[in-house]
Amino acid sequence: VYAHQEPRSFNGSLKNVTVDELSRQGCTVTVSDLYAMNFEPRATRKDITGALSNPEVFSYGVEMYEAYKKRSLPGDITDEQKKVQEADLVIFQFPLYWFSVPAILKGWMDRVLCQGFAFDIPGFYDSGLLQVCWARCQVTGDLGNFTWHGTLHFCGFKVLAPQINFAPEIASEEERKGMVAAWTQRLQTIWKEEPIPCTVPWYFGQ
Amino acid sequence: VYAHQEPRSFNGSLKNVTVDELSRQGCTVTVSDLYAMNFEPRATRKDITGALSNPEVFSYGVEMYEAYKKRSLPGDITDEQKKVQEADLVIFQFPLYWFSVPAILKGWMDRVLCQGFAFDIPGFYDSGLLQVCWARCQVTGDLGNFTWHGTLHFCGFKVLAPQINFAPEIASEEERKGMVAAWTQRLQTIWKEEPIPCTVPWYFGQ
């Protein structure tokens, strides 16, 4: 799931070597190039093509759950869900905007990992734990810990360590080549990696 | 800055009482209703209307900075920047999607709080500190702490305590009314509130 506007960027290079290296390993690689697809990030009622479950008060989450069960989600969402279901490894490749993902990728998460679909990923949504987390967040304001790893965790993903490249725009050409090489090397053994713990310490009552 | 699809929602009620209470106090209130505006969340080269500073390799951040200096940013961005500049208090009202803001609001941050504009907000972008934070994040993977409060902090905002309403969709009507009343009451003295610390403990070398 690739979110950069420019194929000739550092992000583009990382995406290209990923496709090359995984293909070399014999993997079938599918790229969702979100900007090239002009992927819709807005979660609106246009995503509900049939009758609304509650036309009085529109709730995106409720309506998406119903639409998922009726298999009436729009094609741009179901295409992405199919890719996720068929994937053994999902890589998110993006620049950090304001310490988080670009809006176009946030929209991918909001719409593709919708209620219903996410329920069906094995391991997703132990609602008891989720409620505990929400309650704790309410008290402590400690929402940040969940934003990325935790969200994927709740969607049933096993999360590998992030690969973060620090400020490539001010790195030298040689340093950038080193970053790309390090990532390529990691890909060679990525299938043997163990997931990282991505829950906060108090998650299991510690 | 309001991001909910449904005027009759809990979020809509909170927005309405905010407008009413602040108006009652004599404030001029401007609402950016992002879904009603169909606000564009995608940060694309369409935002650059003139010649590109570097047509070989498109960098959104670099091009936006140049466009800001040339005053050639698109109107939907400059309209929002003007509102921010004129505001004494900015309230973000939104449901939590995946423990973060909806993509449409993330896009508002990505595009409106762009390089150049954010530089010009007093207090923004002590680049030395920002670099220290990035370096530390790289080592610890501790990106979550910045996501919301930290981003606003770096943009020069003084951040007040968040008002979080826990799971209104499963609360009783009476509980929801209590939440709205509590927020209305808080607004009555919000101008006397002190900013919260929104930096991580190691930020100042502790």
Side-chain angles (χ1 to χ4, degrees), chain B residues 20-33:
Chain B
D20 292 348
E21 169 57 25
L22 293 177
S23 300
R24 193 191 62 74
Q25 294 177 20
C27 301
T28 303
V29 185
T30 307
V31 177
S32 288
D33 184 341

Side-chain angles (χ1 to χ4, degrees), chain A residues 172-183:
Chain A
S172 69
E173 181 70 17
E174 192 179 0
E175 286 169 326
R176 280 199 297 276
K177 282 184 179 163
M179 293 173 182
V180 174
W183 171 238

Side-chain angles (χ1 to χ4, degrees), chain A residues 5-6 8 38-39 42-43 45 56 58 96-98 101 103 106-107 110 113 131 134 138 151 166, chain B residues 5-6 8 38-39 42-43 45 56 58 96-98 101 103 106-107 109-110 113 134 138 166 170:
Chain A
Q5 305 96 340
E6 172 56 64
R8 287 177 296 264
N38 198 31
F39 190 80
R42 288 165 284 215
R45 64 181 72 199
E56 296 298 315
F58 179 79
L96 278 168
Y97 281 4
W98 287 132
V101 301
K106 185 63 173 59
D110 291 351
L113 303 179
Q131 291 292 67
W134 272 111
Q138 186 188 27
T151 297
F166 173 58
Chain B
Q5 305 95 340
E6 173 57 63
R8 287 176 296 265
N38 198 32
F39 189 80
R42 287 166 286 214
R45 64 181 72 200
E56 296 297 315
F58 178 79
L96 277 168
Y97 281 3
W98 285 133
V101 302
K106 185 63 174 59
M109 298 180 73
D110 291 350
L113 303 178
W134 271 111
Q138 186 188 28
F166 174 57
I170 58 170

Side-chain angles (χ1 to χ4, degrees), chain A residues 36-199:
Chain A
M37 295 155 73
N38 198 31
F39 190 80
E40 172 61 72
R42 288 165 284 215
T44 70
R45 64 181 72 199
K46 284 182 198 163
D47 283 344
I48 316 301
T49 51
L52 289 176
S53 165
N54 181 354
E56 296 298 315
V57 181
F58 179 79
S59 163
Y60 188 79
V62 168
E63 298 294 343
M64 289 294 276
Y65 185 41
E66 296 300 323
Y68 173 77
K69 287 191 290 188
K70 288 189 291 184
R71 300 179 183 277
S72 63
L73 290 173
D76 66 334
I77 291 180
T78 54
D79 286 352
E80 294 303 300
Q81 291 178 340
K82 188 159 181 288
K83 293 177 197 170
V84 171
Q85 279 169 329
E86 291 177 349
D88 297 308
L89 176 67
V90 181
I91 298 171
F92 298 93
Q93 170 68 52
F94 59 91
L96 278 168
Y97 281 4
W98 287 132
F99 297 96
S100 185
V101 301
I104 200 168
L105 178 52
K106 185 63 173 59
W108 186 96
M109 298 180 74
D110 291 351
R111 295 177 68 235
V112 175
L113 303 179
C114 67
Q115 286 185 41
F117 177 70
F119 284 125
D120 275 3
I121 301 179
F124 177 71
Y125 207 74
D126 179 325
S127 60
L129 276 177
L130 199 59
Q131 291 292 67
V132 169
C133 291
W134 272 111
R136 172 84 188 209
C137 286
Q138 186 188 27
V139 173
T140 63
D142 185 21
L143 293 166
N145 279 309
F146 283 111
T147 305
W148 183 241
H149 294 165
T151 297
L152 293 173
H153 170 78
F154 275 121
C155 288
F157 287 93
K158 293 182 180 69
V159 182
L160 303 182
Q163 182 89 2
I164 305 178
N165 296 292
F166 173 58
E169 69 277 13
I170 58 169
S172 69
E173 181 70 17
E174 192 179 0
E175 286 169 326
R176 280 199 297 276
K177 282 184 179 163
M179 293 173 182
V180 174
W183 171 238
T184 309
Q185 186 168 19
R186 181 178 170 188
L187 283 171
Q188 290 166 18
T189 53
I190 202 164
W191 301 98
K192 296 177 186 162
E193 288 187 18
E194 294 292 324
I196 59 168
C198 53
T199 51

